[in-house]
């Protein structure tokens, strides 16, 4: 009798934790106002979507040696910037989650992937809960996608989508977006954690059962996490984030999780009138508008995944008329900038406390590495003192709170890229001296050693540009 009683529980939309009582704060993750009421139905009808088969014929343990593997049958998309982060193409039956802010280009990229699949003779079913068939068609026309075996379905019911997919048997199924989908048997509204979780779980089962790759598009919250329960990321095989500043055309496809490849790989794109185009040479793209030797401009070498990328940092300081001077950082961590300003003030006696400070990374790239510290500090000093940076100079190094310059990782690839982009002088951490010497000798760059200055402290680096 009790078994049929409708139960109510509260599920956290951030971490998926469940409680029996409503609370203002989630007891598990500590987020406020994230608990949502959920009525637990006795037995979800979504069981019919493959789950029942599993219960009727449960899996049996198999000997590892007897499991057969028919080689790597990945589908190459021939889109370098997507194939590489995927680990060499799409694995059939894999479930891939694509997160990103609204308007960043997720639907555009996925439609281009649909084209890449369809033009190789694989059928694709693109399901949109956000746009009508006509809207998808208009976008497809702009992207010059018009494939015979690309099916568009405008609808939000996962049950119907799975039914259609069982008939069409596409090689790839696209769900745009998971927040606009619902499944029968779950009483919560569309986009609620329970709906997102059950829809995804049905899709994962479907993908594995039919060996169909499923692309799930997901929106992100204002904090930049995928909306819905965290467990979403655990349920899928691959998680990508498409990132970038919408006022720029530059986009990065970052791998957060990949069961079939490395998460160190990323894809770089530029958003053009005809969709996202992979960037072969990111440094050249990001430095294309740079004018030489202006005070406050410095180029740093950052690692984007396994690739070195050169980006220009621009700094500006002006005397402030405000009681609390303004500090603005675009494309860079605000708190890291504050730390660098404090170190400059305390350790080398260059005060910024009565200046407004602006820092900008050109081209919409986001600098996240501490290897850029020295370059940024020199850009700040150069604009403050109005001294131009010597032409062709690149500085690399992490700055400690005492002002010491600490070594950076992967210095070899960074130097190689800098040489490729015609940089001729280098300020490098003393701690990298041996590694750099070995690298230059073994890469035929010994001539470069004469143009390198190794520094231990920030004051030595500032001395060099003064
Ligand atoms: P979209 O793929 O709709 O973003 P998402 O699905 O992540 O919300 O892309 C939206 C933006 O991209 C929109 O502002 C227009 C722009 N865009 C281009 O610049 N070029 C194109 O070829 C397309 C299709 C879109
Ligand atoms: Mg979209």
């Amino acid at each position: 009798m009790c078994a049929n009683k409708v139960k109510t529980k509260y599920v956290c939309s951030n971490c998926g934790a469940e409680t029996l009582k409503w609370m203002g704060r989630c007891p598990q993750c500590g987020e406020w106002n994230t608990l949502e009421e959920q009525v637990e139905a006795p037995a979800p009808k979504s069981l019919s979507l493959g789950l029942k088969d599993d219960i009727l014929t449960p899996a049996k343990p198999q000997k590892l040696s007897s499991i057969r593997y028919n080689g790597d049958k990945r589908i190459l998309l021939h889109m370098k910037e997507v194939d590489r982060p995927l680990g060499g193409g799409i694995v059939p039956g894999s479930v891939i989650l694509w997160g990103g802010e609204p308007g960043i280009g997720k639907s555009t990229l996925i439609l281009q992937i649909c084209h890449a699949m369809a033009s190789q003779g694989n059928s694709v079913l693109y399901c949109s809960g956000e746009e009508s068939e006509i809207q998808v068609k208009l976008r497809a026309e702009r992207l010059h996608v018009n494939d015979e075996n690309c099916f568009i379905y405008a609808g939000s019911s996962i049950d119907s989508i799975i039914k259609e997919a069982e008939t069409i048997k596409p090689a790839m199924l696209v769900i745009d977006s998971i927040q606009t989908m619902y499944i029968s048997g779950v009483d919560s509204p569309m986009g609620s954690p329970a709906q997102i979780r059950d829809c995804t779980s049905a899709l994962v089962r479907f993908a594995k059962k039919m060996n169909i790759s499923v692309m799930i598009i997901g929106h992100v919250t204002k904090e930049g996490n995928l909306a819905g329960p965290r467990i979403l990321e655990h349920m899928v095989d691959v998680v990508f984030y498409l990132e970038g500043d919408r006022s720029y055309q530059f986009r990065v496809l970052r791998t957060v999780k990949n069961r079939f490849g490395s998460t160190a790989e990323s894809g770089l794109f530029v958003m053009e009138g005809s969709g996202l185009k992979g960037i072969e040479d990111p440094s050249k793209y990001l430095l294309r508008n740079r004018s030489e030797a202006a005070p406050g401009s410095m180029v740093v070498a950052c690692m984007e995944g396994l690739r070195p990328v050169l980006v220009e940092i621009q700094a500006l300081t002006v005397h402030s008329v405000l009681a609390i001077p303004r500090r603005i950082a675009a494309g860079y961590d605000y708190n890291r900038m504050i730390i660098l300003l404090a170190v400059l003030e305390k350790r080398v006696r260059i005060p910024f406390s009565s200046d407004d400070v602006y820092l900008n990374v050109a081209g919409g790239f986001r600098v996240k590495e501490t290897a850029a510290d020295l370059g940024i500090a020199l850009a700040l000093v150069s604009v403050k003192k109005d001294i131009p940076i010597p032409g062709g100079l690149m500085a690399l190094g992490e700055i400690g709170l005492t002002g010491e310059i600490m070594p950076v990782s992967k210095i070899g690839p960074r130097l190689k890229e800098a040489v490729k982009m015609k940089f001729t002088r280098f300020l490098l951490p003393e701690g990298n001296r041996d590694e750099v010497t070995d690298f230059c000798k073994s890469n035929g760059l010994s001539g470069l050693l004469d143009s390198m200055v190794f520094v231990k402290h920030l004051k030595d680096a500032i001395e060099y540009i003064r």
Side-chain angles (χ1 to χ4, degrees):
M1 206 169 72
C2 285
N4 287 335
K5 211 173 121 193
V6 173
K7 281 193 221 150
T8 302
K9 61 182 179 181
Y10 296 87
V11 181
C12 172
S13 59
N14 185 48
C15 68
E18 294 177 5
T19 65
L20 291 175
K21 270 194 316 190
W22 187 84
M23 280 181 249
R25 190 178 190 192
C26 170
Q28 189 161 310
C29 67
E31 282 292 312
W32 290 92
N33 271 331
T34 52
L35 290 184
E36 289 172 12
E37 184 176 351
Q38 190 184 319
V39 179
E40 215 174 40
K45 286 183 199 137
S46 54
L47 276 181
S48 61
L49 300 167
L51 230 177
K52 216 155 77 182
D53 306 353
D54 291 0
I55 295 169
L56 294 177
T57 51
K60 286 258 184 288
Q62 290 184 49
K63 276 187 187 165
L64 185 58
S65 55
S66 69
I67 298 173
R68 278 183 294 117
Y69 175 58
N70 305 330
D72 208 345
K73 278 204 241 146
R74 289 173 186 251
I75 306 171
L76 257 190
L77 296 170
H78 302 291
M79 292 169 75
K80 266 194 202 160
E81 299 301 308
V82 182
D83 283 331
R84 191 166 14 79
L86 275 168
I90 297 180
V91 175
S94 59
V95 182
I96 306 175
L97 185 60
W98 305 76
E101 279 177 36
I104 207 73
K106 301 181 294 296
S107 305
T108 306
L109 182 61
I110 297 288
L111 208 52
Q112 287 178 260
I113 294 175
C114 288
H115 171 61
M117 288 286 281
S119 59
Q120 297 182 45
N122 301 302
S123 58
V124 172
L125 177 58
Y126 182 106
C127 306
S128 180
E130 299 190 346
E131 292 163 310
S132 66
E133 289 97 340
I134 301 291
Q135 282 170 303
V136 178
K137 171 81 185 165
L138 287 175
R139 187 203 305 271
E141 268 179 6
R142 268 211 284 163
L143 299 173
H144 310 297
V145 179
N146 192 14
D147 297 280
E148 270 302 304
N149 35 7
C150 195
F151 296 86
I152 308 295
Y153 176 94
S156 287
S157 160
I158 287 289
D159 308 67
S160 316
I161 289 173
I162 288 185
K163 214 173 274 163
E164 294 301 334
E166 273 172 343
T167 323
I168 298 176
K169 292 201 175 57
M172 187 174 95
L173 170 68
V174 175
I175 304 294
D176 187 1
S177 65
I178 192 71
Q179 279 86 4
T180 57
M181 296 291 155
Y182 70 88
I183 192 163
S184 58
V186 180
D187 283 340
S188 324
M190 240 182 224
S192 67
Q195 278 291 2
I196 293 178
R197 192 185 52 201
D198 283 24
C199 287
T200 310
S201 126
L203 288 168
V204 171
R205 281 174 183 284
F206 176 74
K208 305 296 166 195
K209 192 175 117 194
M210 306 285 288
N211 208 29
I212 289 175
S213 306
V214 178
M215 308 277 149
I216 300 177
I217 295 181
H219 291 294
V220 296
T221 59
K222 58 181 186 304
E223 290 83 30
N225 297 318
L226 274 158
R230 267 286 151 72
I231 50 166
L232 202 58
E233 297 194 9
H234 301 300
M235 288 159 83
V236 300
D237 300 311
V238 182
V239 180
F240 285 130
Y241 273 79
L242 189 60
E243 295 176 352
D245 185 332
R246 264 193 289 166
S247 42
Y248 294 95
Q249 293 171 299
F250 186 71
R251 300 284 183 272
V252 181
L253 183 66
R254 203 153 274 142
T255 323
V256 176
K257 164 181 173 177
N258 193 352
R259 287 187 182 148
F260 314 114
S262 155
T263 51
E265 292 286 9
S266 56
L268 302 176
F269 302 89
V270 49
M271 176 64 100
E272 291 185 346
S274 55
L276 286 156
K277 201 169 141 242
I279 306 182
E280 290 276 317
D281 193 343
S283 304
K284 197 169 157 198
Y285 172 78
L286 288 166
L287 297 182
R288 72 198 184 286
N289 294 328
R290 183 169 189 250
S291 48
E292 272 289 315
S297 158
M298 194 70 201
V299 173
V300 295
C302 298
M303 295 304 292
E304 183 53 66
L306 299 175
R307 264 189 301 178
V309 177
L310 303 195
V311 279
E312 183 191 4
I313 307 272
Q314 300 163 343
L316 184 66
T317 65
V318 282
H319 182 71
S320 182
V321 292
L322 302 168
I324 302 169
R326 212 192 294 264
R327 270 105 177 76
I328 294 177
Y332 189 65
D333 181 33
Y334 177 86
N335 293 322
R336 190 74 199 161
M337 173 178 77
I338 301 290
I339 292 173
L340 293 180
L341 291 172
V343 173
L344 282 167
E345 178 145 358
K346 185 74 185 174
R347 303 296 177 190
V348 285
R349 306 273 167 223
I350 301 179
F352 288 87
S353 42
S354 54
D355 290 321
D356 290 336
V357 179
Y358 306 93
L359 208 58
N360 179 41
V361 180
F365 189 86
R366 219 186 142 73
V367 173
K368 292 180 178 165
E369 278 190 302
T370 48
D373 286 355
L374 184 58
I376 292 171
L378 291 181
L380 286 164
V381 171
S382 125
V383 72
K384 164 90 186 168
K385 300 271 179 199
D386 212 10
I387 24 179
I389 301 281
L393 174 72
M394 159 136 341
L396 290 171
E398 179 181 341
I399 298 178
L401 291 186
T402 55
E404 81 273 23
I405 307 294
M406 294 182 292
V408 301
S409 63
K410 302 193 184 79
I411 192 133
R414 294 181 210 254
L415 283 175
K416 218 171 178 173
E417 184 75 1
V419 171
K420 197 181 103 194
M421 293 301 291
K422 312 255 180 317
F423 282 82
T424 49
R425 296 180 225 204
F426 300 88
L427 267 179
L428 303 170
E430 181 62 44
N432 280 117
R433 187 192 281 270
D434 294 345
E435 192 186 342
V436 169
T437 313
D438 288 348
F439 177 83
C440 289
K441 283 186 181 151
S442 55
N443 282 275
L445 298 170
S446 300
L448 218 59
L449 287 167
D450 301 333
S451 58
M452 288 177 175
V453 176
F454 293 92
V455 286
K456 269 193 180 139
H457 196 273
L458 186 53
K459 65 176 187 304
D460 308 330
I462 292 173
E463 207 49 55
Y464 179 85
I465 65 161
R466 250 212 273 255

